[in-house]
Each structure stands twice: as structure tokens, then as C-alpha cells.
Amino acid sequence: MNKPLAYSLWCGLLCFIVTNTLTSQDGNLDFLKCSAVPYRLCEQSEGVRLPDNNQIYLGEENPDASAGSVHVSQSKTVQSDCSVTLTYEVQLIQFENSEPFVLKQATQVTTDMEGIAYLSYDTEEALDELVQRNGIPYTSGCARFHTIKWMVRDTCGNEIVCEERIEIFDCVAPFVETDPEEVFTIKINVGLQYTIRADNFIDSIIDDQTAKSDFLYSLSEDKYLPKATYDCCEPPAYGVVLPYYIWVGDAGTDTNCDGIIEWHERRRFEKEFRVVYLDQSGSCDCFESTILAGALLDKSGNGIAGVTVEQRSEGVYPSYITSFNGRFNFNYYWGAKNISIVPTKNDAHKNGVSILDLIKLQNYVLGKEDLSAYELIAADVDNSERINFFDVFELRKLVLGYYTELPQNTSWRFLPRTFIFSDPLNPWSFPEEITVSSSESHFDIDFIGIKIGDLNGTAQPNFNALVPREALTPLPLSVSDKSFKSGDIVEVPIRIDADLNVMGMQFTLAADGMEIVNVLSGACSVADSDFALFDDKMTFCWVDVNGLEVSARETLFTLQLRAKQGGQLSSTVRITSDITSAEMYLSNEQTFIPALSFSASNIDLRDRPILCAPNPWKNETIISFFLNDPSDVQLEIMDINGVVLTSYSNKCVAGHQSMVVLGEDLSGSGLYFYKITSKEFDSTGRMLLLD
């Protein structure tokens, strides 16, 4: 039967909302995610990397070098309600019309205690030697895709196929190598003009697919300008070493499919050079000019992008918007009066803000923690020049999604980099501009940017610093699955499977086709200010600065839902990061991604031969199983490299049995694998040991 499944997928820097249609024989075998919409991968995507024989490593002239292709490794999850053992195969169909390549030959996997199996492929392990060596070629856009075909069957006769189309593209600009100490000389000759060619400043270029003959060089970021001729009065100064910029574009991609690769369709690399102008004509009788330049940096020295830099003086001057490096640059003719440089930025107020910042802020208000001068400025959320619980309330509203921006403050504040606080405990009288004289050049007009609300320094200052969200370990929140009909009021206790000390959690909860009515306290004392309701979505932000000891299977809190239509909890309720990012924090500073784990009521262990609970666990966990007949049972615990750390052996009688695993037998917290073998089964699973 056909089953539509809508979900949100966060992949690297891209976000898609897709709907897939899966087909199985009787509905007992399903892919948890299968995109019906083509998705994009590039060198910066998770699991994508350049082959070892790429021309970057071997050189363009090497006959064995590859170009314009990448190795890809991906994983997928499938759930079976019927079979413990599954067999799967993965195929690649290049450009949707070639003979299939086998990326993963028929392989058996075992489902875990939730009936979920993990599938994967790696092009370096493909059967075809060419794919094994070079990987998968880039697509050229224009609706040209590769197809990845996942095929799974179980021992109950079910078969299911997931076909996903992928576009693989080049997202990395070429890199230009130069000597940072080299200074280029531009000479003004008798003709009182000079011509600059962009390619005269290039030493060497590194790129994974573009040939030397296909690079373009430009004096402009916005248009292709390979050379330009200037009047001798245009240099900003003579005899002074100045920064200079050139852009290098790669072969690019015909994104609009018009048969022409324009300058804006190329990946471009901005390179700074150092130049000095010399007047050899002796006839350049011009007004002297000056340069006012500097950078907007965060506390770690990273450039802040998107800052508007204004000049304030007599007259009207253009403003400057910084790029990823945070630099700005203005030219002036001498004679102007003092000029003030004023940076401002007011966007992406949630950038870097999470429960961890709330914890630091509350600890400061309660007198438990000190803050530096920079952190105090970041903590002044309501811009009142004092820190109190009003700042806590305002920041909580931002995390919960009540605010998309802070009503009383901008997202960033700036102060001169050289500024020294006279009283670090009362830092409010800092200047937010730098005033200089335009009668001489200034190249060090630098500011420090402070992201408001970000007390722990996690805000991303520019696109280059923005990396895919850290692959945190999921921490399951247990929910007993149940069905409901339209109009029912459904109470959903949320539990945890291990003894933990919880410091806080935040997430967006979606309940398709249901109205979220309320959240009731459990071990977590939930106040109205801890959650916000948006019809079928809820944002949740709960903090205990002292840490809350929660016992295994204890109810954290209970959701109250009203059903608008009939359905099943497991296909309706989920945790996402749509409004508020899903994160959970333990008192040992470990961070996890909370995820709902549904279990059917009245599960018989005969249907689930292996059960590891609690999982995650701290001191000990129990591996439970069912035997139809007496058998010797061997249990091995391995690290992520497959090294056996400890093993247990028992002679077991028929019926329900269990074996205890002790944390002291392992080598500290982290991810482990267990393998349990008897006459009736040979199964593996994963377990997570916490500090």
C-alpha cells in the first residue's frame, strides 16, 4: 500500500520540506525518510569528499588524476514490524539513464529494539572500479540528476524501494596561493594612465575540477572585469603599501541553462594583495587622498559579515556592507573634517542563543556566576544597562519564538577593538563609533562585535564560519504509542530511559492534525513561561540551573493534545527544530538532540528478541531476550573500532532471560556496540554509556 510521509530534513546548509511515497507489500516495512524531491550535495555536505586521486592532490597534468567528481557515503534507516533480519542493496544510476552501478551488494542487517535497521553505502566500496576510484561525477544542473536506489526485503516477504534523485555540484571556490610578504608595484608612466590586468597578480590556483585555461580573473566581484585603465589621479596614495583585491572564478555551472556560463554563475574567490603606486611621470598633479579602513571582528577574531558601516561627517557619504572577512574600506580626498565610523547590524537575533545562555544569565542574576565585560553587554537583552530577571524573560521569549527579534535592542553591538573598560563590572559607557581625521590614512579602524543574548560565544559571525549543525547524539524521550479518534483529549507522558541529571532542554514539537492544549508538570516543574503554543506546534524551553536528578522511566512532563482527526501518535507527534532548535543539556555539559521514541503497549519480548534498557545508561544496563529452547548465550561489548572490550557467557534455560552489562567493565562514556549470539539468533545493537 502507499504511505505518504511528510517531514523536514536539515542537511548541511540546506533545508527542504518534502513528501515521499513508499510502497511495501503489507505495510510492515518502511523507510523512515525517503525524499521525493531531488536534493543537493557538494564537497561541504556530510559524507562527501574528494577522491585521493583528485587533481588537487596529484596535479592537473597527472594522467591518473580525476576532476569534477566526489566520493559519497550515506546512510538510511528502515523499520520492520515483522522481521529481525533484513537484506538490502544500493544502486547508482548516473544521469538517470545509465546502467546501474552496484554501490552496495546484497547485505544483511539486524534491526534494533525499535525494529529499526541502519543501511549505508560508500562509493569507495562500489563494485565498479571506476566508481571505486573516482566516485560520482558532478551533475551539470539543468534538471540532470543521479538516482540512488535503495532496495530492502525482509524474511516475511515484504520488499520496499526508495529511489532518491541527487544533484552533486561544486560549491567550493578556487583557492589562490600568494606570498603574503610580496608587494606588487604599479607604475604611472608618461602617458598619465595605467592599466591593471587581474591575471598579472596570480601565482597559482588550487581547484578540484577547473583546468588552468578555464579560470577567469576580475577586478570586480559583481561583474567580469579582467582589466581596467585609470587616470593617474585615481590611486588613493603614492609610495604607501595598500590592500588590493582580485576575484578568481572557476569554470562555473550553467545554472539558468541558457548555454552560457556568466560571471555570476561561477564560484569566485576573493584574494587580497599588497600593492604600491609609484609616479614615474612626474606630472600627476592631483589632490592627495587617504584611506579609512578596518574590520568588524568577533571576540575570536572572525570577520562579521553583513555589518553596515556608515561615515558621519559634513556631507553625504556612501555606506559599506561587510562580507565574510568583516573588512571595510573608504577613500577620501584630503581636506575633509573629522569623520566618525559607525557600524550597525540588526538581523538573525536567534543566532547563537540557546538554553545554555539562559543558564549563564540566570546564574549571574542569582549570584552564582560572574560575567566578563563583554558577557555583561551580551546579557543586557532589554538594553537597560543593568542585568536582572527582565533580561531572562526577554531572552526566553526569543528562544521560544514569541520574538523574532529583540524589541529593545539590536542583534549586535560594536565597540572599538582597543577600548579598555574603566570598570569591567559596569561596562555600559563604551563608545560605539571611532572618530578619525581624514587628513591621513587609517588602516586599523577595528571594532569588536558582541552578539546580544549569546553569552557563551556560539554565534556564527559569517557564512564561512557557518557549518552544518554538529552531529550530536540523539537522546530518546520515551512515549507509549496509542491510537486516537477525532475529538479525543490525548495525554502523552514523556519519559526518559536512564537515570540522568538534566539541566535544560529546548525544542519545537509538532503534532500534525492535533491541537496542543497544555503541558503538565512531572519531574520537570513546567510553568506557562516555559512553552509557547502555535496551534499544531509548540516551542519548549525548560531550565534548572542546579540540574534535576531524573530516574529511569520517570515522567518528565505530560502533553495534553486534542485530536482534530483520527490517527496514531507515532505518525503524528515529533520533535523538530523548526522554530526552536532541538537540544538537551545534561549537568556534565553534554549536549544531545532529543527525539521521541515510540513503544507499543504490551510488547511481548518474543517479538523483540533483543532489548537493551536503559539506553542511554550510566552505571549498568540490561540486555533482555527470549529463548524458545535452552542455549549457551555469548554477549560481547565492542568499541566503535570493533575491538572487544568485555564478554559475558551464560547457560540459559528457555523463556525470558537477561544479562547485566556494567559501566566499570568499559573504557569510559561513549558509543558501544553489543553482539549477542545463541542457537536461535545472532544480533547486534548500539548502546550509549553516559558519564
Side-chain angles (χ1 to χ4, degrees):
M1 62 189 245
N2 292 330
K3 288 189 174 182
L5 173 63
Y7 62 91
S8 298
L9 170 63
W10 169 258
C11 177
L13 304 179
L14 303 174
C15 184
F16 307 90
I17 298 178
V18 299
T19 300
N20 68 13
T21 300
L22 309 178
T23 302
S24 68
Q25 182 172 327
D26 61 6
N28 292 328
L29 184 62
D30 288 296
F31 283 102
L32 298 187
K33 294 180 180 179
C34 183
S35 174
V37 178
Y39 60 91
R40 311 181 78 208
L41 297 175
C42 74
E43 303 99 305
Q44 294 181 339
S45 302
E46 182 179 357
V48 180
R49 69 248 180 228
L50 294 176
D52 291 338
N53 66 339
N54 186 268
Q55 68 180 26
I56 283 182
Y57 311 120
L58 300 185
E60 182 182 335
E61 307 303 327
N62 191 307
D64 296 326
S66 66
S69 63
V70 290
H71 276 308
V72 178
S73 57
Q74 290 185 300
S75 61
K76 192 163 289 296
T77 50
V78 66
Q79 187 169 36
S80 172
D81 296 333
C82 172
S83 175
V84 174
T85 301
L86 307 177
T87 302
Y88 77 99
E89 180 178 328
V90 186
Q91 295 180 351
L92 162 70
I93 303 173
Q94 292 188 5
F95 303 108
E96 301 183 292
N97 58 11
S98 68
E99 290 296 319
F101 296 93
V102 177
L103 298 181
K104 187 85 168 186
Q105 56 186 331
T107 303
Q108 283 193 344
V109 291
T110 304
T111 59
D112 63 12
M113 58 185 178
E114 299 294 333
I116 296 174
Y118 300 87
L119 323 178
S120 65
Y121 74 82
D122 189 330
T123 53
E124 288 193 78
E125 300 173 357
L127 294 184
D128 184 85
E129 184 179 349
L130 186 64
V131 176
Q132 190 180 101
R133 185 173 65 250
N134 297 339
I136 306 177
Y138 291 136
T139 54
S140 59
C142 304
R144 300 190 71 200
F145 304 100
H146 301 311
T147 299
I148 303 295
K149 186 175 182 180
W150 302 78
M151 298 169 289
V152 186
R153 64 178 181 273
D154 61 19
T155 57
C156 301
N158 296 310
E159 294 185 1
I160 192 168
V161 176
C162 171
E163 291 192 7
E164 295 181 318
R165 292 183 298 162
I166 62 173
E167 178 184 354
I168 301 180
F169 67 101
D170 182 7
C171 62
V172 177
F175 177 73
V176 180
E177 291 185 314
T178 56
D179 181 357
E181 302 301 322
E182 183 176 10
V183 177
F184 294 89
T185 300
I186 300 176
K187 299 179 180 180
I188 310 300
N189 295 313
V190 179
L192 302 184
Q193 289 184 333
Y194 62 97
T195 299
I196 296 180
R197 291 182 54 90
D199 56 0
N200 287 344
F201 299 88
I202 303 300
D203 296 330
S204 63
I205 306 173
I206 296 176
D207 192 67
D208 68 317
Q209 71 161 343
T210 304
K212 293 178 181 178
S213 58
D214 292 332
F215 288 110
L216 293 184
Y217 312 92
S218 176
L219 302 170
S220 170
E221 181 181 14
D222 302 323
K223 62 182 179 180
Y224 178 48
L225 184 67
K227 66 178 182 178
T229 299
Y230 301 98
D231 183 90
C232 73
C233 290
E234 292 191 59
Y238 288 102
V240 178
V241 177
L242 303 171
Y244 198 79
Y245 304 96
I246 287 178
W247 286 263
V248 179
D250 65 7
T253 303
D254 184 13
T255 55
N256 59 8
C257 306
D258 64 354
I260 301 173
I261 299 179
E262 304 287 351
W263 176 245
H264 68 271
E265 294 177 311
R266 298 171 182 263
R267 271 72 58 184
R268 299 179 297 280
F269 184 89
E270 177 189 11
K271 188 63 184 178
E272 177 181 333
F273 299 86
R274 302 168 73 216
V275 300
V276 60
Y277 292 91
L278 296 180
D279 178 14
Q280 293 187 327
S281 69
S283 302
C284 286
D285 185 15
C286 306
F287 290 105
E288 295 282 2
S289 62
T290 62
I291 290 180
L292 304 181
L296 288 304
L297 309 171
D298 66 8
K299 292 181 291 185
S300 300
N302 301 304
I304 304 174
V307 181
T308 300
V309 185
E310 295 181 289
Q311 316 151 67
R312 296 179 182 174
S313 182
E314 295 180 1
V316 178
Y317 299 98
S319 59
Y320 193 105
I321 308 296
T322 60
S323 61
F324 72 92
N325 56 23
R327 294 190 301 258
F328 65 90
N329 190 322
F330 298 111
N331 290 342
Y332 284 93
Y333 287 109
W334 287 4
K337 296 184 178 181
N338 289 346
I339 293 175
S340 294
I341 305 298
V342 183
T344 56
K345 180 175 172 65
N346 190 31
D347 59 10
H349 285 241
K350 276 192 175 183
N351 183 8
V353 177
S354 71
I355 283 182
L356 295 181
D357 301 296
L358 272 173
I359 292 172
K360 286 180 69 73
L361 182 52
Q362 288 189 201
N363 278 335
Y364 175 80
V365 173
L366 294 171
K368 296 181 177 182
E369 184 174 349
D370 293 329
L371 297 179
S372 69
Y374 287 157
E375 290 170 340
L376 287 171
I377 295 172
D380 184 19
V381 177
D382 66 354
N383 199 18
S384 63
E385 298 189 357
R386 59 183 181 275
I387 310 300
N388 52 37
F389 272 108
F390 288 110
D391 298 290
V392 177
F393 298 149
E394 292 292 277
L395 196 60
R396 185 184 293 270
K397 289 180 180 179
L398 183 66
V399 173
L400 285 171
Y402 282 118
Y403 292 156
T404 57
E405 60 181 48
L406 297 171
Q408 305 298 328
N409 215 335
T410 57
S411 62
W412 289 80
R413 302 284 294 274
F414 297 92
L415 66 156
R417 190 178 188 182
T418 57
F419 179 75
I420 298 176
F421 295 98
S422 58
D423 182 3
L425 300 180
N426 186 26
W428 317 117
S429 59
F430 60 90
E432 298 192 63
E433 61 182 44
I434 296 177
T435 300
V436 296
S437 169
S438 66
S439 61
E440 58 185 32
S441 293
H442 299 268
F443 298 97
D444 57 353
I445 309 175
D446 297 341
F447 291 83
I448 292 291
I450 300 173
K451 174 63 182 62
I452 302 303
D454 175 30
L455 280 69
N456 63 348
T458 57
Q460 300 294 338
N462 58 63
F463 180 81
N464 280 21
L466 185 61
V467 295
R469 189 169 176 225
E470 185 180 3
L472 300 173
T473 302
L475 182 63
L477 301 179
S478 297
V479 177
S480 296
D481 199 7
K482 63 178 72 173
S483 59
F484 51 84
K485 60 183 182 296
S486 179
D488 283 353
I489 299 295
V490 184
E491 292 199 349
V492 185
I494 306 295
R495 299 184 174 92
I496 201 162
D497 287 335
D499 295 339
L500 297 175
N501 189 296
V502 182
M503 205 161 196
M505 67 187 81
Q506 63 178 54
F507 52 79
T508 305
L509 186 131
D512 299 331
M514 305 188 81
E515 178 188 356
I516 302 173
V517 178
N518 199 3
V519 182
L520 306 178
S521 296
C524 300
S525 179
V526 181
D528 290 345
S529 59
D530 292 331
F531 62 93
L533 302 179
F534 303 91
D535 193 19
D536 64 348
K537 284 187 173 65
M538 176 190 78
T539 54
F540 189 78
C541 170
W542 174 86
V543 175
D544 187 324
V545 295
N546 298 312
L548 176 68
E549 290 288 349
V550 182
S551 302
R553 303 305 299 166
E554 187 174 1
T555 298
L556 297 176
F557 53 88
T558 299
L559 302 173
Q560 281 190 334
L561 311 174
R562 179 182 290 109
K564 298 179 181 178
Q565 59 191 37
Q568 192 82 10
L569 277 181
S570 56
S571 59
T572 302
V573 181
R574 64 192 186 280
I575 286 178
T576 76
S577 296
D578 290 349
I579 303 173
T580 297
S581 296
E583 293 181 1
M584 189 165 181
Y585 309 97
L586 305 186
S587 59
N588 55 8
E589 298 186 357
Q590 287 181 291
T591 304
F592 297 86
I593 296 179
L596 297 182
S597 175
F598 293 91
S599 59
S601 302
N602 303 318
I603 290 180
D604 191 334
L605 288 178
R606 300 168 194 264
D607 300 323
R608 299 284 187 188
I610 309 299
L611 181 66
C612 175
N615 191 14
W617 53 286
K618 299 180 77 172
N619 299 317
E620 67 178 35
T621 188
I622 299 174
I623 308 294
S624 303
F625 51 93
F626 182 87
L627 291 174
N628 293 298
D629 298 299
S631 174
D632 291 337
V633 179
Q634 176 80 17
L635 174 62
E636 295 179 327
I637 310 298
M638 299 162 285
D639 64 17
I640 58 175
N641 297 314
V643 177
V644 177
L645 302 178
T646 187
S647 62
Y648 308 83
S649 297
N650 276 350
K651 291 183 178 296
C652 298
V653 298
H656 298 297
Q657 303 295 334
S658 62
M659 301 176 75
V660 177
V661 180
L662 300 176
E664 62 189 32
D665 292 341
L666 305 181
S667 54
S669 62
L671 179 66
Y672 294 91
F673 294 88
Y674 62 85
K675 179 179 181 181
I676 185 166
T677 307
S678 72
K679 290 191 301 184
E680 300 177 20
F681 52 75
D682 184 348
S683 179
T684 59
R686 300 190 296 178
M687 56 171 61
L688 182 65
L689 173 60
L690 304 176
D691 287 336

